[in-house]
Amino acid sequence: MKIGLFIPCFIDAFFPEVGIATLQLLERFDLDVVYPPDQTCCGQPMANSGFETDTSGAEALFVRNFDGFDYIVGPSGSCVHHIRHHFTGVEQTAAVSEIRSRTYELVEFLHDIIKVDAFPWARFPHKVGLHNSCGTLRGLRHANASELREPHFSKPESLLCKVEGLELVAASRPDECCGFGGLFSVVNESVSAKMGSDKVRDFAQAKADYIVSADSSCLMHQRGCAERDNVAIKFIHIAQILNGAAA
Amino acid sequence: MTKGTEGDRPDHAKPELQPRGARHKGNRPINQAEAAERFLAAPRHQQQHDTRLWTLRQRRDDQMWAMPEWEEMRSLASAIKEHTLSHLDAYLEMFEANAKANGVVVHWAKDAAEHNAIVLDLLQRRGAKTLIKSKSMLTEECGLRADLAKAGVEVVETDLGERIQQLDDEDPSHVVVPAVHKLRTDVAKVFAATIGSDPENDDPPYLAGAQRDATRPLILNAGAGMTGANFLVAETGAVVVCTNEGNADLCANIPNLHIVSVGIEKLVPRTEDLAIFVRMLSRSALGSPITQYTSHFRGPRKGGEMHVVLVDNGRSERLGMEEFWTSLKCIRCGACMNTCPVYRRSGGLSYGATYSGPIGLIIDPTFNARKYSNLPFASTLNGSCTNVCPVKINIHEQIYAWRKVLVRQHETPFVKRAAMKAAGALFSRPAIYRAAIERTNDALASLPRFVIYNGLNAWGKGREMPHPPAETFHQWYFRNRGGRP
């Protein structure tokens, strides 16, 4: 199975360890993982701001980079959500539709496609609060949403439960957005920062040692809030835990 | 001093000034972020606001879990509304014919000015100097109170929250709980200044009683009464009004003249359709199974008159907007506001518009795309609003769609347009992009200028910056895996 490794721009620049963990984790399952070196950005920042026509160059490049893979896998829910649901800056050819439907966020790829049943190399003896980003929760449907009358399910939870020693703790407002929101974080910075502070405090009150997420953008924002507020809590991407990060 | 038990504020602290809403500068875009920042700078107000509304959201969830058919009900409610809106002309005429047959006079108003003129004419012809009314977002939308005041008609709001807002000369901040942004100390201050209650007493029952005592004589002597309507039933010509205070019944039943102001989207075809909506409305709004009063007005009382003013005010135009017409399904429950994390931290008045919160973001630009051009950006697109909506309006997708429309119409700041163009160009050219983010071996120094158009100044105000790593993933990959660097 040939996998195109999609490393979103901000993960490349700020969170290389997340990209590394994703690559190593996928390779543990004997997948042929290829990193196309010419990737930049999926177009999400422009699209979410309404600038659809300004996404066309980035989206066309994405299509060129990721043509021909069985699956395209990236460790960022919001970017994958963009590709699957909003990637309309380029003409919707058969190839584009194919690429869009073959693009998976890491958690759903592990859970739905290769159906991982164990992570024997992973041990994480800590209390962990799971933050589902809004893109993964309500966009990609990683888990049931608290607003809907539907049975409980959670793909990230079911993966994390396979990690030895890991204890999940729940925030009191489990689905509350943390306030990152891309450009929202700077255009509406005071509301954004307040939402982030409230989110971090909620996890701290649940006695979480770590906040884990499939989205580094939410974590980047929450970490900035925690550091500003002197809340002692650590942040880690789910790929790192599943790949066996010690702490 | 504090006689109540809600714990709005610690006894030792001096009262926090109530933050006011968005500043209006003619037709210039409302700066929601600026008003929200002032709301956040009043932490007791903000925290109480957040807690009150989150509590409503939790009660709504409890109701949802108590009703196994909840999701089916949402689908039905949505389908009925979409069907009705798709045949609106026919149902409006059916309603008109049936209402007329019941002895109701039906008026048609194409916009706010026409609506206000019709109401004023009805009042003046009967020499009515005082109008008592129940809460109606439509009359807020039409600016009715101000127009009637100019003509010398005194308007008395009878919904407690709306009366507080009227006496404080503020718009409602929420469609269901109009004064939810106020502390009870704020209310005590307003009542002391306007109806002469004890300024030191902020006990809610005392305040409600004082308002009741002050308003009852006005209600009993009013020349006319006005209500809005939650639903119009086409097949019977009935007007259905849901309240918790029973004030709409006073407005409809005490004066001889009952005027109903209602938007044309409030129709449902049949009485049995109400079974869906009446069950969903209060559960979604307040988390209570039903409102205390659900009143069906089918015609004038003996010796009285009943008029229904059907108001368009932009609704027909919205009905023709492919991406936005389903916003007309809205039943004004406010569930999207209660769940919205941005709304709870901003206060409804920060939106500077009749409709605040998520539903406001998609309705307000239909009234004035320039003035409300910032509103669709006051969202993280988290989608909680869409999930709680009892009529399944895809609110967050419409917010996203509005952004595209506003960009197409050039209702976005030049600096943002230029930055997005530059970012789009950079992301299309891998070599230049790579050189840009790695040229200083310090990703932080360059990437955010392109990712975040105005730099990190705003980011750093309330948060710490991300810590730039020693190398990018790209550099790590080629250092460790070989191949081209």
Side-chain angles (χ1 to χ4, degrees), chain A residues 9 12-13 27 35 38 40 48 138 146-147 149 173 176 185 192 198 221 223-224 227-228, chain B residues 50 57 64-65 67 71 344-345 382 384 387 403 427 434 460-461 463-464 467 473-474 481 484:
Chain A
C9 53
D12 174 43
E27 286 174 340
Y35 168 67
D38 283 346
T40 58
N48 276 6
R138 301 187 190 88
S146 63
E147 304 95 1
R149 200 183 198 285
R173 299 182 183 185
E176 180 100 321
S185 65
S192 171
D198 288 351
H221 161 69
R223 179 169 164 182
E227 288 179 2
R228 176 62 56 92
Chain B
D50 176 68
R57 158 70 206 279
M64 170 183 79
W65 284 109
M67 200 195 277
E71 297 301 335
R344 274 188 268 108
R345 288 167 181 87
N382 62 74
S384 185
N387 280 354
R403 292 180 180 185
F427 290 141
R434 195 44 65 190
K461 233 170 123 182
R463 280 163 295 221
E464 295 303 312
H467 310 282
F473 173 81
H474 190 85
R481 300 294 175 96
R484 86 168 206 198

Side-chain angles (χ1 to χ4, degrees), chain B residues 134-135 158-159 227 230 240-250 281-282 286 290-295 297:
Chain B
S134 65
K135 189 162 70 64
T158 60
D159 173 271
T227 65
N230 294 90
V240 181
V241 185
C242 307
T243 73
N244 281 308
E245 299 172 30
N247 58 311
D249 301 271
L250 295 177
L281 178 63
S282 194
L286 300 168
I290 195 164
T291 45
Q292 298 293 323
Y293 300 85
T294 302
S295 303
F297 300 102

Side-chain angles (χ1 to χ4, degrees), chain B residues 162-374:
Chain B
E162 191 72 3
R163 182 65 173 163
I164 293 167
Q165 290 309 94
Q166 181 188 18
L167 293 174
D168 198 24
D169 198 21
E170 262 191 341
D171 289 334
S173 74
H174 185 288
V175 297
V176 174
V177 278
V180 68
H181 60 293
K182 280 182 160 72
L183 300 177
R184 62 180 201 233
T185 46
D186 302 327
V187 178
K189 217 159 125 183
V190 172
F191 281 6
T194 52
I195 61 173
S197 64
D198 173 5
E200 297 298 308
N201 193 340
D202 58 14
D203 176 38
Y206 165 77
L207 292 169
Q211 193 278 149
R212 182 189 166 98
D213 291 344
T215 310
R216 273 300 146 117
L218 302 172
I219 292 175
L220 294 174
N221 295 308
M226 172 179 274
T227 65
N230 294 90
F231 308 101
L232 301 178
V233 183
E235 71 171 4
T236 64
V239 172
V240 181
V241 185
C242 307
T243 73
N244 281 308
E245 299 172 30
N247 58 311
D249 301 271
L250 295 177
C251 297
N253 289 315
I254 292 176
N256 274 335
L257 174 61
H258 175 200
I259 305 170
V260 179
S261 284
V262 58
I264 53 173
E265 81 282 20
K266 292 292 178 82
L267 276 166
V268 296
R270 305 163 303 179
T271 302
E272 68 178 278
D273 300 327
L274 287 173
I276 310 281
F277 293 100
V278 170
R279 289 180 76 197
M280 296 298 275
L281 178 63
S282 194
R283 285 184 164 92
S284 299
L286 300 168
S288 62
I290 195 164
T291 45
Q292 298 293 323
Y293 300 85
T294 302
S295 303
H296 299 237
F297 300 102
R298 299 272 298 254
R301 298 193 319 280
K302 220 171 241 171
E305 291 177 68
M306 180 171 165
H307 294 254
V308 172
V309 189
L310 296 165
V311 185
D312 187 315
N313 203 32
R315 285 160 176 74
S316 294
E317 199 187 330
R318 206 183 307 154
L319 190 57
M321 300 171 102
E322 200 187 333
E323 289 172 295
F324 306 115
W325 71 277
T326 58
S327 64
L328 287 164
K329 293 192 287 184
C330 177
I331 58 171
R332 307 283 189 263
C333 69
C336 61
M337 301 171 168
N338 303 343
T339 201
C340 178
V342 177
Y343 177 88
R344 274 188 268 108
R345 288 167 181 87
S346 305
L349 298 177
S350 68
Y351 297 78
T354 300
Y355 301 100
S356 52
I359 189 68
L361 304 192
I362 61 174
I363 290 182
D364 296 323
T366 67
F367 293 109
N368 187 335
R370 165 143 303 170
K371 187 165 182 180
Y372 302 122
S373 57
N374 285 329

Side-chain angles (χ1 to χ4, degrees), chain B residues 108-121 138 141-144 147-148 309 311-313:
Chain B
W108 299 82
K110 75 168 190 297
D111 56 21
E114 242 181 61
H115 165 263
N116 295 355
I118 290 167
V119 172
L120 182 61
D121 183 61
L138 176 68
E141 188 185 310
C142 293
L144 177 71
D147 272 13
L148 292 186
V309 189
V311 185
D312 187 315
N313 203 32

